[in-house]
């Protein structure tokens, strides 16, 4: 029996591996099969080769081991979950926070808006700050400023027009500065 087992060991491991898809589990199944074959050697009738009988025991041992494994539940990431079925697993796992790049751009944009707002007259600057930069409602801004809602709306509209104008002027001067810089002779040409 030892000779039959040693000659066919690799074949036994491959056979068990086909069921279990795990090398360590396949080795265990072969070990269990060898132990069972040793215990039941008296049942071997000699109607087939010893290797065929051992292969059948290895296959049965691998199947038994497979049955003992806990069942794994596979779930699609796009399948609706929860009581309302309104969310998917991928939505639950994804990070909805802004990326560091988005945070940096947002911070730069806010700093630029504050610079432009500083160039507005005090009433327009306050309305713009409260509504567009701080995110307050028109009613909340009107209450803080002690004016009517319509006044805040009018000041905000004028402030936005001026901020757009200042942005265009700033971007135009940057383009103009780039044009001048690229047309200047370089230091190596002098």
């Amino acid at each position: 029996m030892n000779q039959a087992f040693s000659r066919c060991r690799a074949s036994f491991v491959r056979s068990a591996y086909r069921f279990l898809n795990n090398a360590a589990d396949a080795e265990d199944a072969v070990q269990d099969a060898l132990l069972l074959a040793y215990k039941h050697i008296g049942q071997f009738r000699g109607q087939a080769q010893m290797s065929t009988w051992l292969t059948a025991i290895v296959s049965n041992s691998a199947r038994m081991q497979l049955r003992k494994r806990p069942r794994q539940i596979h779930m699609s990431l796009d399948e609706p979950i929860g009581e309302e079925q309104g969310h998917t697993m991928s939505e639950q796992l994804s990070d909805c926070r802004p990326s560091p790049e988005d945070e940096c751009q947002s911070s730069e944009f806010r700093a630029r808006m504050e610079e432009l707002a500083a160039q507005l007259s005090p009433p327009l600057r306050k309305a713009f700050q409260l509504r567009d930069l701080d995110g307050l409602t028109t009613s909340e801004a009107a209450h803080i400023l002690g004016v009517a809602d319509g006044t805040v709306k009018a000041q905000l509209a004028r402030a936005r027009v001026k901020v757009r104008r200042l942005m265009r002027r700033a971007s135009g001067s940057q383009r103009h500065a780039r044009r001048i810089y690229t047309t200047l002779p370089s230091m190596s040409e002098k």
Side-chain angles (χ1 to χ4, degrees):
M1 186 161 132
N2 282 341
Q3 291 174 340
F5 180 74
S6 60
R7 281 184 305 202
C8 301
R9 184 179 184 290
S11 173
F12 296 154
V13 172
R14 279 194 306 273
S15 177
Y17 187 84
R18 278 188 226 120
F19 289 101
L20 301 168
N21 291 323
N22 182 306
D25 289 346
E27 290 285 341
D28 288 346
V30 170
Q31 287 285 44
D32 291 345
L34 180 60
L35 184 60
L36 282 170
Y38 180 74
K39 285 180 181 178
H40 299 284
I41 192 70
Q43 294 177 0
F44 179 65
R45 295 186 210 134
Q47 294 173 340
Q49 291 184 2
M50 177 71 76
S51 61
T52 306
W53 184 66
L54 289 172
T55 301
I57 295 172
V58 167
S59 296
N60 288 336
S61 178
R63 285 186 190 112
M64 290 301 292
Q65 199 168 10
L66 193 59
R67 284 187 200 125
K68 291 177 185 175
R69 283 185 181 171
R71 302 258 185 223
Q72 296 176 352
I73 298 172
H74 297 280
M75 176 182 275
S76 169
L77 293 177
D78 297 324
E79 186 176 316
I81 60 169
E83 291 179 21
E84 305 90 37
Q85 301 278 319
H87 298 286
T88 63
M89 182 60 76
S90 61
E91 290 171 341
Q92 294 286 337
L93 296 174
S94 65
D95 186 4
C96 297
R97 295 177 295 184
S99 70
E101 182 180 349
D102 293 339
E103 288 179 356
C104 182
Q105 286 177 345
S106 178
S107 174
E108 288 175 355
F109 180 75
R110 182 172 176 87
R112 184 68 182 133
M113 287 294 109
E114 288 174 352
E115 286 175 18
L116 295 172
Q119 299 176 39
L120 299 173
S121 66
L124 298 183
R125 180 175 54 242
K126 288 176 187 173
F128 184 78
Q129 174 73 39
L130 292 172
R131 284 287 287 126
D132 286 350
L133 298 179
D134 295 342
L136 298 179
T137 65
T138 302
S139 300
E140 292 168 333
H143 180 67
I144 290 171
L145 297 173
V147 295
D149 287 5
T151 304
V152 171
K153 290 178 183 179
Q155 289 173 338
L156 184 60
R158 285 195 300 269
R160 287 175 178 167
V161 167
K162 288 189 178 187
V163 166
R164 271 191 223 106
R165 198 175 305 139
L166 291 168
M167 286 174 76
R168 272 192 232 113
R169 199 176 302 148
S171 66
S173 66
Q174 286 175 351
R175 274 189 246 124
H176 181 67
R178 265 188 252 125
R179 258 187 266 125
I180 292 172
Y181 179 76
T182 55
T183 57
L184 288 175
S186 66
M187 298 301 272
S188 60
E189 292 176 8
K190 288 186 178 185

